């Protein structure tokens, strides 16, 4: 349940282009992007919102999400605990310095479609120029009463790293409804001057 995007030269997103890396909804396996130069211009975006763990009602467990929420109002966890977490549901997980997992889905009600967690944006480049938006927010649908967690953003540049004044990095959890608790935010990490070996070690151990 993982994918790879490898670009030997420049991977540039311009105009109104959108790159949407999809994580496997059951296993959480995600897309790893490696390129020489990554450029995200001002009106372009990388959007992995609602592309993380998603519950499958026909399977038990619903998914392998480590921080899934509970149908009794517990928000999903990720970068922190979900609202009203109890140690079994809504747990914090993942690495602060190297997010490699997407966000977890909400609990599962029989009468409500569960919210999906935010996906994972993972990009490793020699040079990186970010002027647009990168988001990995949880799914947020009006009227839902259980909440999912934000996903992950992990960017590394071996040499040049620049952010424009309109750059946005965001991995929000969804809000709770009807007295139920919200989902945790995701994780965002930026690495500079890391070797390939250091990146691999961070991915394995944090």
């Amino acid at each position: 349940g993982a994918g790879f995007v490898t670009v030997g030269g420049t991977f540039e997103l311009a105009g109104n282009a959108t790159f949407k890396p999809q994580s496997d909804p059951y296993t959480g396996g995600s897309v790893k992007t490696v390129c020489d130069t990554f450029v995200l211009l001002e009106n372009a975006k990388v959007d992995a919102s609602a592309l993380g763990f998603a519950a499958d009602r026909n399977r038990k467990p619903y998914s392998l999400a480590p921080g899934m929420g509970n149908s009794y109002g517990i928000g999903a966890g990720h970068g922190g605990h979900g609202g009203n977490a109890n140690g079994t549901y809504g747990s914090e997980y993942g690495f602060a310095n190297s997010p490699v997992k997407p966000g977890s889905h909400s609990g599962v009600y029989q009468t409500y479609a569960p919210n999906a967690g935010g996906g994972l944006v993972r990009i490793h480049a020699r040079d990186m120029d970010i002027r647009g938006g990168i988001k990995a927010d949880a799914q947020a649908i009006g009227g839902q009463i259980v909440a999912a967690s934000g996903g992950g953003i992990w960017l590394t540049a071996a040499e040049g790293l620049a952010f424009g004044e309109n750059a946005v990095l965001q991995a929000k959890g969804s809000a709770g409804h009807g007295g139920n608790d919200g989902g945790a935010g995701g994780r965002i990490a930026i690495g500079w001057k890391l070797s390939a070996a250091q990146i691999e070690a961070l991915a394995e151990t944090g």
Side-chain angles (χ1 to χ4, degrees):
F4 301 88
V5 175
T6 304
V7 180
T10 298
F11 180 11
E12 179 178 292
L13 294 169
N16 295 315
T18 302
F19 175 43
K20 303 186 77 169
Q22 168 77 58
S23 298
D24 184 272
Y26 188 80
T27 68
S30 299
V31 178
K32 174 183 176 182
T33 300
V34 177
C35 55
D36 183 71
T37 302
F38 180 72
V39 178
L40 180 66
L41 296 181
E42 190 166 321
N43 293 321
K45 59 186 176 181
V46 180
D47 192 355
S49 297
L51 297 181
F53 282 106
D56 183 346
R57 292 180 185 273
N58 298 316
R59 300 181 73 168
K60 292 294 181 68
Y62 297 117
S63 79
L64 301 181
M68 70 177 72
N70 179 279
S71 58
Y72 296 100
I74 296 173
H78 187 189
H81 293 295
N84 201 31
N86 66 4
T88 301
Y89 295 97
S91 301
E92 178 181 349
Y93 62 92
F95 303 138
N97 293 322
S98 51
V100 292
K101 293 183 181 294
S104 293
H105 58 76
S106 65
V108 179
Y109 275 97
Q110 294 302 313
T111 54
Y112 292 90
N115 288 337
L120 177 70
V121 178
R122 179 179 173 183
I123 304 173
H124 305 298
R126 179 176 59 84
D127 296 299
M128 187 170 286
D129 184 1
I130 307 295
R131 306 181 206 176
I134 301 178
K135 294 185 179 181
D137 296 339
Q139 184 178 18
I141 300 177
Q144 298 287 37
I145 59 176
V146 286
S149 61
I153 299 173
W154 186 19
L155 310 176
T156 70
E159 297 181 15
L161 176 62
F163 289 91
E165 62 182 359
N166 294 312
V168 174
L169 304 179
Q170 180 174 299
K172 292 184 176 181
S174 56
H177 293 269
N180 294 278
D181 290 281
R187 294 186 180 276
I188 298 174
I190 300 166
W192 184 42
K193 294 190 175 181
L194 297 174
S195 69
Q198 288 173 317
I199 292 171
E200 188 66 25
L202 282 166
E204 293 294 332
T205 67

